[in-house]
């Protein structure tokens, strides 16, 4: 039996011999191994050393030259989101088309790990880990604010500047009526949280799982590029790929820390009067990182798995509370209508060229796509780690379609309730609140505010802990040459460094804007890598026995 009661055939970690790529490279063969006091270490040379030294240099530069660092981060952000908006949007469309095509193709029957492999985790544990690692903090942070923002801009209509260029932030051509503004605003919100981001994660996760579990290569980003580079992937081309993956993951974790700390700070202010400032956010980051270290030491089974399941129960409970405390029938009816609106507006929102809604396209969509792509090494590898034994079709449906439907429900209920409060009750507190406070302002208009706000804070903290723990696991795997059993000390090292980066950026270089700028800047090179991955994974699946 599997850990959650599923029937499981006997299996080993060895991939099926008929599909293994023949190479002399072994996971960890280039590692430097030894002891540091009572602790063992095994780190890849040169990926670990270059990554660690570059991170230390980055921290020193940011602390030593805060103004120059802030200007540099701002330029990176502007260049990535505005200069390559069409590229981000077009690439994300490719990922969705590829995933949906594989679901209905004969390749969907291929099992990750070979025909005899069976899942390591049951559906409940597996799905909980997928969702908690993927975007839990983002849903808490943007679940109320983004629907309100898109609704307001859609209702405000099109506004042109002196040179005829639009200055409004409305998606597409805005909306002709208030009712349609609600539909368009929710469709634009769901667009940023449904098929496209999960397709990005799915491409990365499927590629890693296939080349590790079926092809017998180390579970590291470079392995996916073996069909492109051949044996050269174990040299400097592979080193560069893995180092970029480390940077993307670290800054993705630091950004989630910044979001989580800002929202937790807002929640503690509401419940206990904690001041909202950088000092208290740093205290929260230190506290959350400490909790994460405890989870890291406990390991994948006892740490990430357990906390992910706790989070899913709490998140489902909060979702049901908002549904039943609010206008239940209206929220349920609107959820279906918002899903239809999303599908209705999807072709136009996905169009990468010939659009005049520049602010929405660049400031929202290309920002999000670059953000999800920069997170893809972290989330994709973690998904691969927990997905052995699934078929390609099962993997893609569960990673792509089911989380998308959950995001539709979450945004529709939380965002729908906030918009209902504004339009039907004249309650403006959620709309007028600062971004981290908008969730709590919406809960203020519902019963049991103190309890639900406390649950919201706990969710933010535990979502971050699961993300940070799994992210540290991923970085450790990359920097140990693909070894999945590297010493715990190394995961502790990377967990601490993600907290240090978040603190340094919050203190010295523009706060959350700097965090977002750095994570976005890593998205552009990974978009290119992900497009190449599409070719590699297709070649890999084509060579699998069926």
């Amino acid at each position: 039996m599997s850990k959650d009661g599923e029937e499981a055939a006997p299996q080993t970690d060895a991939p099926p011999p008929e599909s293994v790529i023949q190479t002399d490279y072994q996971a960890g063969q280039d590692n430097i191994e030894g002891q540091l006091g009572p602790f063992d270490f095994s780190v890849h040379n040169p990926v670990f050393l270059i990554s660690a030294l570059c991170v230390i240099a980055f921290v020193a530069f940011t602390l030593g030259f805060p103004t120059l660092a802030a200007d540099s981060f701002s330029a990176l952000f502007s260049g990535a989101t505005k200069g390559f908006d069409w590229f981000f949007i077009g690439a994300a469309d490719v990922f969705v088309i590829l995933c949906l095509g594989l679901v209905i193709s004969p390749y969907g029957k291929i099992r990750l790990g070979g025909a005899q492999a069976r899942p390591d985790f049951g559906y409940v544990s597996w799905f909980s880990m997928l969702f908690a690692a993927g975007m839990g903090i983002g849903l808490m942070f943007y679940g109320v604010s983004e629907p309100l923002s898109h609704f307001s801009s859609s209702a405000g209509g099109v506004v042109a500047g002196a040179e005829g260029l639009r200055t409004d932030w409305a998606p597409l051509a805005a909306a002709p009526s208030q009712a349609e503004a609600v539909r368009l605003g929710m469709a634009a919100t769901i667009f940023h949280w449904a098929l496209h981001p999960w397709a990005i994660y799915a491409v990365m996760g499927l590629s890693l799982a296939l080349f590790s579990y079926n092809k017998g290569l180390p579970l590291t980003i470079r392995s996916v590029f073996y069909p492109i580079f051949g044996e050269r992937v174990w040299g400097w081309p592979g080193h560069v790929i893995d180092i970029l993956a480390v940077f993307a993951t670290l800054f993705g974790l630091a950004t989630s820390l910044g979001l989580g700390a800002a929202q937790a700070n807002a929640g503690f202010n509401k419940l206990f009067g904690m001041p909202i400032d950088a000092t208290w956010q740093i205290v929260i980051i230190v506290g959350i990182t400490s909790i994460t270290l405890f989870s890291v030491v406990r390991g994948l089974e006892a740490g990430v798995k357990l906390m992910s399941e706790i989070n899913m129960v709490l998140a489902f409970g909060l979702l049901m509370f908002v549904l039943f405390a609010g206008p239940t029938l209206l929220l349920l009816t609107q959820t279906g209508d918002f899903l239809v609106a999303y599908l209705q507006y999807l072709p136009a929102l996905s169009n990468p060229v010939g659009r005049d809604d520049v602010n929405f396209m660049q400031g929202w969509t290309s920002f999000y796509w670059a953000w999800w792509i920069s997170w893809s090494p972290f989330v994709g590898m973690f998904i691969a780690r927990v997905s052995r034994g699934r078929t390609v079709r099962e993997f893609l449906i569960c990673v792509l379609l089911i989380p998308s439907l959950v995001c539709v429900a979450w945004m529709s209920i939380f965002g729908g309730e906030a918009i209902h409060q504004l339009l039907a009750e004249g309650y403006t507190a959620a709309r007028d609140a600062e971004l981290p406070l908008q969730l709590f302002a919406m809960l203020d208009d519902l019963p049991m505010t103190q309890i639900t706000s406390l649950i919201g804070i706990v969710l933010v903290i535990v979502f971050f802990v699961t993300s940070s723990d799994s992210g540290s696991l991923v970085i450790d795997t990359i920097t140990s040459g693909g070894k999945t059993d590297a010493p715990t000390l190394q995961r502790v090292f990377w967990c601490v460094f993600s907290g240090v980066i978040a603190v340094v950026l919050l203190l010295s270089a523009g706060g959350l804007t700097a965090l977002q700028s750095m994570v976005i800047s890593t998205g552009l090179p990974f978009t290119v890598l992900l497009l190449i991955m599409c070719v590699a994974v297709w070649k890999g699946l084509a060579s699998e026995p069926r």
Side-chain angles (χ1 to χ4, degrees):
M1 301 286 286
S2 75
K3 296 176 180 65
D4 290 316
E6 292 184 349
E7 291 294 332
Q11 68 179 64
T12 67
D13 288 338
E18 64 272 16
S19 60
V20 169
I21 290 176
Q22 299 300 321
T23 177
D24 293 332
Y25 187 85
Q26 300 294 321
Q29 74 173 35
D30 296 328
N31 284 16
I32 301 173
E33 299 184 344
Q35 277 193 313
L36 186 63
F39 302 105
D40 297 328
F41 65 86
S42 178
V43 297
H44 186 276
N45 180 32
V47 171
F48 178 91
L49 296 176
I50 293 177
S51 299
L53 290 174
C54 286
V55 169
I56 292 171
F58 169 82
V59 170
F61 166 71
T62 305
L63 287 175
F65 306 94
T67 303
L68 177 60
D71 292 342
S72 301
F73 301 155
S74 177
L76 285 171
F77 178 85
S78 178
T81 56
K82 295 181 179 179
F84 295 90
D85 52 353
W86 60 272
F87 183 60
F88 283 124
I89 295 174
D93 294 342
V94 171
F95 305 143
V96 173
I97 293 170
L98 174 66
C99 290
L100 294 177
L102 288 175
V103 167
I104 62 175
S105 76
Y107 296 151
K109 298 178 180 179
I110 295 172
R111 188 173 293 277
L112 300 174
Q116 302 305 313
R118 291 297 179 268
D120 295 325
F121 301 96
Y123 278 112
V124 173
S125 297
W126 184 49
F127 179 71
S128 297
M129 288 188 285
L130 296 182
F131 199 78
M135 53 181 58
I137 287 179
L139 289 176
M140 295 295 295
F141 199 80
Y142 289 106
V144 171
S145 62
E146 189 172 349
L148 282 172
S149 176
H150 294 326
F151 159 70
S152 298
S153 60
S154 297
V158 173
V159 179
E163 298 179 359
L165 297 176
R166 286 177 56 175
T167 59
D168 63 274
W169 285 76
L172 304 178
S177 65
Q178 186 181 82
E180 193 59 27
V182 175
R183 296 182 77 250
L184 177 57
M186 288 304 307
T189 300
I190 294 169
F191 173 61
H192 292 145
W193 293 88
L195 288 176
H196 284 75
W198 288 101
I200 292 167
Y201 293 160
V203 168
M204 178 69 77
L206 177 62
S207 301
L208 288 166
L210 177 69
F211 283 92
S212 176
Y213 301 143
N214 294 66
K215 304 302 183 183
L217 300 181
L219 184 60
T220 188
I221 307 295
R222 71 173 72 198
S223 296
V224 178
F225 295 88
Y226 190 92
I228 310 299
F229 294 109
E231 289 294 315
R232 289 176 298 164
V233 81
W234 312 124
W236 275 104
H239 298 340
V240 172
I241 290 169
D242 279 350
I243 290 167
L244 286 173
V246 171
F247 292 157
T249 305
L250 269 178
F251 289 116
L253 288 176
T255 301
S256 70
L257 245 182
L259 289 173
Q263 194 165 33
N265 190 189
F268 284 129
N269 170 264
K270 173 179 171 53
L271 291 179
F272 309 114
M274 176 188 288
I276 298 179
D277 56 37
T279 300
W280 281 104
Q281 289 174 17
I282 290 168
V283 171
I284 292 171
I285 288 174
V286 173
I288 293 177
T289 303
S290 300
I291 299 172
T292 305
L293 290 175
F294 175 75
S295 178
V296 163
V297 172
R298 285 175 61 85
L300 178 63
E301 179 69 22
V304 177
K305 177 177 177 288
L306 176 63
M307 300 197 80
S308 296
E309 291 172 348
I310 292 172
N311 241 24
M312 288 303 293
V313 172
L314 291 175
F316 181 76
L318 186 61
L319 182 71
M320 290 298 100
F321 170 80
V322 174
L323 174 63
F324 289 110
T328 307
L329 183 59
L330 174 65
L331 293 177
L332 287 174
T333 304
Q334 283 185 334
T335 299
D337 185 40
F338 294 154
L339 177 59
V340 172
Y342 164 59
L343 297 175
Q344 172 189 337
Y345 284 109
L346 182 59
L349 291 168
S350 303
N351 176 29
V353 296
R355 292 168 57 173
D356 60 1
D357 54 341
V358 179
N359 284 336
F360 173 82
M361 186 178 173
Q362 295 177 350
W364 280 101
T365 303
S366 63
F367 163 80
Y368 266 127
W369 285 184
W371 194 1
W372 301 139
I373 288 167
S374 70
W375 265 56
S376 64
F378 148 45
V379 180
M381 184 174 289
F382 182 74
I383 290 174
R385 282 289 300 267
V386 299
S387 298
R388 182 198 297 271
R390 305 291 175 182
T391 66
V392 170
R393 182 171 294 116
E394 181 183 21
F395 176 92
L396 290 173
I397 288 174
C398 289
V399 174
L400 182 65
L401 299 182
I402 294 178
S404 293
L405 292 175
V406 172
C407 289
V408 170
W410 185 278
M411 291 297 187
S412 297
I413 292 173
F414 279 77
E417 170 62 19
I419 293 173
H420 171 76
Q421 291 174 355
L422 177 64
L423 298 182
E425 303 173 11
Y427 179 75
T428 61
R431 183 196 63 187
D432 298 338
E434 294 292 327
L435 182 60
L437 277 168
Q438 288 184 315
L439 169 66
F440 302 107
M442 183 272 287
L443 293 175
D444 256 346
D445 195 47
L446 299 175
M448 299 189 295
T449 301
Q450 298 291 330
I451 296 175
T452 55
S453 295
L454 182 59
I455 291 174
I457 295 171
V458 172
L459 275 169
V460 169
I461 292 173
V462 182
F463 267 132
F464 171 72
V465 170
T466 53
S467 295
S468 182
D469 190 351
S470 52
S472 302
L473 175 70
V474 166
I475 298 175
D476 187 28
T477 301
I478 296 171
T479 57
S480 61
K483 294 179 68 173
T484 57
D485 57 349
T488 303
L489 176 65
Q490 295 165 207
R491 289 173 62 190
V492 170
F493 172 84
W494 291 114
C495 178
V496 170
F497 252 89
S498 66
V500 170
I501 289 174
V503 168
V504 167
L505 289 175
L506 281 173
L507 278 178
S508 306
L512 187 57
T513 301
L515 288 166
Q516 292 173 331
S517 298
M518 286 308 301
V519 78
I520 293 308
S521 68
T522 61
L524 185 58
F526 259 95
T527 306
V528 178
L529 293 181
L530 277 170
L531 288 170
I532 298 174
M533 275 189 190
C534 293
V535 177
V537 75
W538 189 273
K539 287 186 174 182
L541 290 170
S543 65
E544 281 291 296
R546 296 187 298 280

